[in-house]
Amino acid sequence: MRIEDPKLLTAFRELDVQWKPAVSLAELTYLGIGGTTDLLSICRHEAIPDLLNLLDGQGIPHKFLGGGSNLLVIDGELPFVVLQLADHDPDVVIEGNVASVDAAADLGRTVTFCAKHNLGGMEGLIGVPGTVGGALRMNAGAYGTQIGSYVREVKLYRAAARRLETLRGQQISFEYRHTSFAPDDMMLSVKLELPSKPYPEILQGIRICNEKRRASQPLGQKSAGCIFKNPPGASAGRMIDELGLKGFAVGDARVSERHANFFINAGHASAADMLALIAGVRERVRGAYGVTLENEVVVWNA
Ligand code: EPU
């Protein structure tokens, strides 16, 4: 979708919003899949309500992009514009046991920055790609750690109320890969309260998680992490593997040989290929186990 109205472009400048025309989402997502649209980069949180009123007033559909690590975007000219928070420097500030982190901050870098200040707890999250905001929205987790456990406070744009709000950790429910945030809420920053731990001890935990991940996940390849959520008491990866589907492909979209719940873009996969692969595998699992796997990956298809 293209924004060409000069009045709108002037209004963006007044709100410190940078307009980047014709951006390829394939270049902004870990899967390397997705069509083209205009991107609006937001420098000031306070400008968000005015920006969204402006877009809504003009009937311009929009979606919020985090780090693009858990996202599958359709092909072609996209029927919406994309909003993204600009990077802030510094994006992590530590006071005592509390790290105040910008939502646009890289999750892995945040874990190591806190570690260097002798704040631990998040070792399991090392290697989970994406931003802190993205991790927060879906309560990212790995190796027994989930980010929600450490949240003291979240600043967000509440789409329903059309304003910025600050929520205390207890006001938010964090479940397995799910939170009480609305789908169109936009994470802006978070205060994480972390346990004190000596840096060498945290580093040891980080090394162990890195090794486990390297041994079991296809790290160097284009993927969105796990495609499906694990159904209660079971492993989607194991089910897909047991059906002999490793290597099963539609075009260049392929079930990883390393971990069957990771689907790889092995070359020039289209969104249509990846969606067909997801549907095909879901159907095979449903037929064999009677379980309908739910997407973990977020799909932008309209
Ligand atoms: N397994 C297989 N074949 C496979 C993959 C896994 O037999 O191809 C078996 C493993 O041997 C193991 C069991 O299935 O016995 C579980 O596998 P794993 O330990 O790899 O964990 P997972 O349940 O597949 C979850 C998260 C990952 C996270 C790891 C480590 C989900 C959907 N996945 O994977 O998160 O990194 O645990 O904590 O919750 C993600 O969210 O994108 C993600 C990758």
Side-chain angles (χ1 to χ4, degrees):
M1 172 169 251
R2 294 299 137 82
I3 300 177
E4 276 154 0
D5 181 351
K7 278 194 207 131
L8 262 182
L9 300 183
T10 305
F12 292 157
R13 274 194 296 276
E14 284 166 3
L15 291 171
D16 289 334
V17 169
Q18 285 179 316
W19 169 65
K20 301 179 183 173
V23 169
S24 162
L25 269 283
E27 284 165 22
L28 296 180
T29 55
Y30 280 56
L31 265 175
I33 294 175
T36 304
T37 190
D38 286 2
L39 186 136
L40 301 174
S41 175
I42 299 165
C43 300
R44 274 191 300 119
H45 294 164
E46 291 66 31
I48 295 172
D50 285 344
L51 173 64
L52 293 190
N53 283 336
L54 202 61
L55 295 176
D56 290 346
Q58 300 285 320
I60 299 174
H62 47 78
K63 292 189 187 287
F64 299 121
L65 177 67
S69 58
N70 191 41
L71 183 62
L72 170 57
V73 184
I74 49 163
D75 307 307
E77 184 64 38
L78 302 174
F80 47 80
V81 297
V82 168
L83 314 182
Q84 196 174 34
L85 295 178
D87 293 333
H88 276 138
D89 193 23
D91 53 6
V92 188
V93 175
I94 307 243
E95 268 177 282
N97 279 56
V98 175
S100 300
V101 192
D102 203 73
D106 179 76
L107 178 63
R109 226 184 53 73
T110 301
V111 174
T112 48
F113 185 88
C114 293
K116 285 179 189 156
H117 289 79
N118 301 304
L119 294 180
M122 298 198 291
E123 292 86 330
L125 294 173
I126 199 75
V128 173
T131 60
V132 168
L136 199 58
R137 138 164 309 290
M138 63 166 315
N139 191 21
Y143 304 114
T145 306
Q146 50 172 27
I147 191 166
S149 312
Y150 301 104
V151 171
R152 178 196 265 201
E153 197 178 285
V154 175
K155 183 176 162 200
L156 73 165
Y157 171 74
R158 274 284 204 197
R162 295 182 159 266
R163 61 165 189 249
L164 306 186
E165 283 183 15
T166 301
L167 299 180
R168 279 176 289 110
Q170 301 93 303
Q171 293 174 280
I172 308 160
S173 103
F174 290 102
E175 291 153 45
Y176 168 66
R177 302 294 194 274
H178 185 265
T179 62
S180 50
F181 298 119
D184 45 2
D185 286 345
M186 188 177 192
M187 306 297 114
L188 302 177
S189 62
V190 58
K191 285 191 199 305
L192 299 169
E193 189 163 358
L194 300 165
S196 299
K197 247 193 211 180
Y199 179 49
E201 206 179 296
I202 304 174
L203 208 56
Q204 183 60 15
I206 285 178
R207 286 210 182 101
I208 292 170
C209 290
N210 271 335
E211 274 162 31
K212 282 193 202 162
R213 198 177 285 279
R214 259 196 299 273
S216 63
Q217 299 182 357
L219 299 189
Q221 291 177 286
K222 289 184 189 170
S223 87
C226 287
I227 284 287
F228 299 113
K229 293 182 189 179
N230 284 334
S235 159
R238 182 183 291 152
M239 288 165 138
I240 300 166
D241 191 359
E242 280 173 1
L243 291 173
L245 292 174
K246 281 184 168 172
F248 177 53
V250 176
D252 275 342
R254 183 167 305 159
V255 177
S256 162
E257 300 281 356
R258 174 72 63 96
H259 192 300
N261 198 11
F262 279 64
F263 293 7
I264 306 298
N265 173 4
H268 300 284
S270 63
D273 294 336
M274 194 53 82
L275 288 168
L277 184 64
I278 292 172
V281 170
R282 178 182 283 119
E283 200 42 44
R284 292 284 295 275
V285 169
R286 204 188 56 75
Y289 296 93
V291 172
T292 304
L293 294 176
E294 210 183 300
N295 280 359
E296 195 210 70
V297 66
V298 174
V299 181
W300 282 359
N301 49 13

